[in-house]
Amino acid sequence: MSNSGVKTDEKKQHFDDIYVAETPVPFKERILDDLEYVSDDFNRQTFDRLILPWAKEQASAGKQLNFLDLCACFGNTTMATLYGMDFQQIRENWRDEAACRQVNGSRRFPAHTTAIDISANAMAYGESAGLFDQTITADLNAPTEQQQNAVNEAMAQADIVISTAALVYLEPEAIQKLIDSFAQTEREGYMLVNFLNPFALDKADATKRVLLEQLEFVGSMASRHRKLSALEQENYPGEEWALLEIWVLKRPRR
């Protein structure tokens, strides 16, 4: 367990000081810049191919969707998928303490945004910048009863859930509760999730089984995520990049 409370695989780099920062500028400098964290371009491409057409149909019918960013951190993937921003636009938006104070973009369809994360500072930033309409701060591996109830309700109400480069931090039991809550709703809804390579592959396999027990597979993509840190390159000799599987799933028809 790291100092931030994030449960990190021993072979994976932890970013404790970034998770507890008050703005996303350190995230931009040490992850987006130094490690070329390009995965949100691919998350956006997958979202645009498999979820965005449906979301725009709902918008045309006058519906506002509940959009939930699970383990959101500072919200870069909400910026990519909901706002349609690419890697360079996110970096530019977060270039300094002044620029990051508001999102330099607009939502591509009407949505109420909820973010869930262990970092109170990241949640406070997201609300102050107008990125998130509602936030829940919780350690999903060890939530209080009140936090778990709030998370369950948010997952049940969500029409779209994104959880990118994040499930690796959660225990299978925590993931099971989240999927149980999301799957209980009968209306159509979609989830975009990531699996990291080469980290915690057994956990990724267990997570896939949990997802496929209750949700329908829609589509997937393989992509680069970010460069490995020096520590990670020592732990995985010969590897330069962390890779992603990006999955989209949907609630089954009942």
Side-chain angles (χ1 to χ4, degrees):
M1 182 74 73
S2 67
N3 294 332
S4 66
V6 176
K7 192 168 185 178
T8 305
D9 181 88
E10 63 181 8
K11 292 187 176 181
K12 184 180 182 298
Q13 183 73 46
H14 69 74
F15 300 101
D16 287 12
D17 54 331
I18 295 173
Y19 294 145
V20 300
E22 294 185 356
T23 76
V25 174
F27 184 102
K28 181 262 184 191
E29 293 174 344
R30 290 187 49 204
I31 299 181
L32 297 184
D33 291 350
D34 292 351
L35 298 180
E36 297 183 38
Y37 188 106
V38 297
S39 55
D40 279 325
D41 279 351
F42 304 107
N43 286 317
R44 188 190 73 255
Q45 290 173 21
T46 306
F47 184 92
D48 288 3
R49 180 169 67 93
L50 298 175
I51 300 177
L52 185 61
W54 173 80
K56 288 190 171 181
E57 285 180 5
Q58 306 311 299
S60 296
K63 297 178 182 178
Q64 175 179 272
L65 297 177
N66 292 323
F67 181 99
L68 190 153
D69 193 337
L70 180 65
C71 301
C73 199
F74 290 99
N76 49 294
T77 311
T78 290
M79 296 167 76
T81 54
L82 181 57
Y83 289 76
M85 299 171 69
D86 64 24
F87 171 63
Q88 297 298 347
Q89 289 171 322
I90 296 168
R91 289 179 65 230
E92 175 64 17
N93 202 154
W94 286 355
R95 66 185 181 275
D96 58 40
E97 299 289 340
C100 74
R101 293 298 176 181
Q102 62 182 14
V103 181
N104 187 24
S106 57
R107 296 176 182 179
R108 297 191 286 174
F109 52 87
H112 179 274
T113 58
T114 299
I116 302 173
D117 198 83
I118 196 172
S119 170
N121 285 346
M123 296 296 88
Y125 161 77
E127 282 197 280
S128 68
L131 190 57
F132 305 135
D133 301 313
Q134 176 184 356
T135 61
I136 301 170
T137 302
D139 177 352
L140 293 173
N141 288 319
T144 65
E145 181 178 359
Q146 182 178 9
Q147 289 171 339
Q148 187 67 65
N149 290 338
V151 169
N152 290 347
E153 177 66 17
M155 291 292 293
Q157 293 300 317
D159 298 298
I160 298 172
V161 174
I162 62 170
S163 187
T164 57
L167 295 181
V168 68
Y169 298 115
L170 300 183
E171 293 300 324
E173 295 80 5
I175 296 170
Q176 183 74 64
K177 291 178 183 178
L178 294 165
I179 303 309
D180 286 348
S181 296
F182 180 70
Q184 74 182 24
T185 302
E186 294 187 0
R187 69 182 182 277
E188 190 168 4
Y190 291 83
M191 179 175 287
L192 185 152
V193 299
N194 290 173
F195 304 101
L196 299 181
N197 187 299
F199 310 118
L201 297 181
D202 289 343
K203 183 187 287 187
D205 289 341
T207 300
K208 291 173 184 177
R209 287 191 288 270
V210 169
L211 291 165
L212 293 173
E213 282 173 0
Q214 298 199 61
L215 303 176
E216 294 180 0
F217 179 81
V218 175
S220 65
M221 179 181 185
S223 78
R224 289 171 293 151
H225 173 40
R226 61 164 173 81
K227 287 188 173 178
L228 297 180
S229 70
L231 171 66
E232 292 165 342
Q233 289 187 41
E234 289 180 7
N235 290 329
Y236 299 96
E239 300 292 338
E240 182 181 2
W241 282 88
L243 304 176
L244 285 185
E245 285 181 72
I246 306 172
W247 279 25
V248 171
L249 305 107
K250 65 184 293 187
R251 290 189 182 110
R253 296 186 184 275
R254 299 180 188 274

